[in-house]
Amino acid sequence: MESKVRVEILNKVRKFKVNKTGIKNVVDSIFNELNVKEKGQISIVLLSKNAIREINKRYRKKDKPTNVLSFQIDYEKGKSIYGEILISPEVAQNEAKKLGNNFNDYFIFLIIHGVLHLLGYDHEKDDERIVMEQLEEKLLKEILVKIKRQVVKLCLR
């Protein structure tokens, strides 16, 4: 079943190459696993460490780079979803290395995390965090079994 949500991907970081079809398949898998019926559009934008730091500073008042930011533009359960997910592959790669994780798998995790925020999940309170983390883990396991393709990689130019 293909998602009714259109996914647009914009890569503003030449250092990293993305598999747009792979990323769209990840988002479709998330929506299918969660039985999401909404129609709409999600934009996924890959940004440099400095660019995401500026956005994080402006919107969250945190003057530091972050791995992922989500902006829910419109969400009406059962009807529509519109939003934007910003990911810094540079930050993600550093974090994955520090955690001893596979960069590609960690990047998929960040897509899952961003999409869940667009669907209204949060992790500010402990009970919300537990629910979101369990769902992220479940989705990541299921998606990694289904999607065996690379969605992002470092390009040495």
Side-chain angles (χ1 to χ4, degrees), residues 1-2 22 33 38 43-44 54-55 71 99 115 130 133:
M1 179 175 96
E2 187 152 320
E33 291 294 332
E38 288 80 4
S43 297
I44 298 176
E54 286 298 320
I55 295 168
F71 294 94
L99 296 168
V115 170
I130 291 166
E133 285 176 356

Side-chain angles (χ1 to χ4, degrees), residues 3-125:
S3 173
K4 297 173 186 163
V5 174
R6 190 166 140 220
V7 180
E8 288 190 351
I9 299 155
L10 177 60
N11 183 2
K12 298 190 116 195
V13 187
R14 292 187 325 173
K15 186 177 174 183
F16 293 89
K17 184 176 180 183
V18 294
N19 174 344
K20 291 182 179 185
T21 301
I23 291 174
K24 289 176 183 181
N25 288 341
V26 168
V27 174
D28 284 345
S29 292
I30 296 166
F31 276 58
N32 289 336
E33 291 294 332
L34 297 178
N35 201 26
V36 172
K37 303 291 186 211
E38 288 80 4
K39 295 178 183 179
Q41 179 174 322
I42 293 175
S43 297
I44 298 176
V45 183
L46 278 62
L47 296 172
S48 71
K49 184 166 96 173
N50 290 334
I52 207 162
R53 181 183 65 76
E54 286 298 320
I55 295 168
N56 199 26
K57 180 180 174 182
R58 181 175 180 187
Y59 290 98
R60 297 181 65 228
K61 310 296 183 235
K62 295 183 180 187
D63 189 9
K64 62 181 185 178
T66 187
N67 52 19
V68 62
L69 291 170
S70 297
F71 294 94
Q72 188 184 72
I73 297 165
D74 180 44
Y75 177 63
E76 193 173 343
K77 190 161 180 67
K79 293 189 179 181
S80 64
I81 180 169
Y82 292 89
E84 188 168 65
I85 300 169
L86 310 178
I87 300 175
S88 172
E90 191 178 355
V91 173
Q93 184 183 40
N94 291 337
E95 289 178 352
K97 188 175 182 180
K98 228 189 268 188
L99 296 168
N101 291 338
N102 174 286
F103 173 47
N104 187 68
D105 296 355
Y106 190 64
F107 193 85
I108 291 171
F109 166 79
L110 294 176
I111 295 170
I112 293 167
H113 186 85
V115 170
L116 289 178
H117 275 305
L118 296 184
L119 291 170
Y121 290 88
D122 208 347
H123 48 79
E124 292 299 315
K125 298 178 186 162

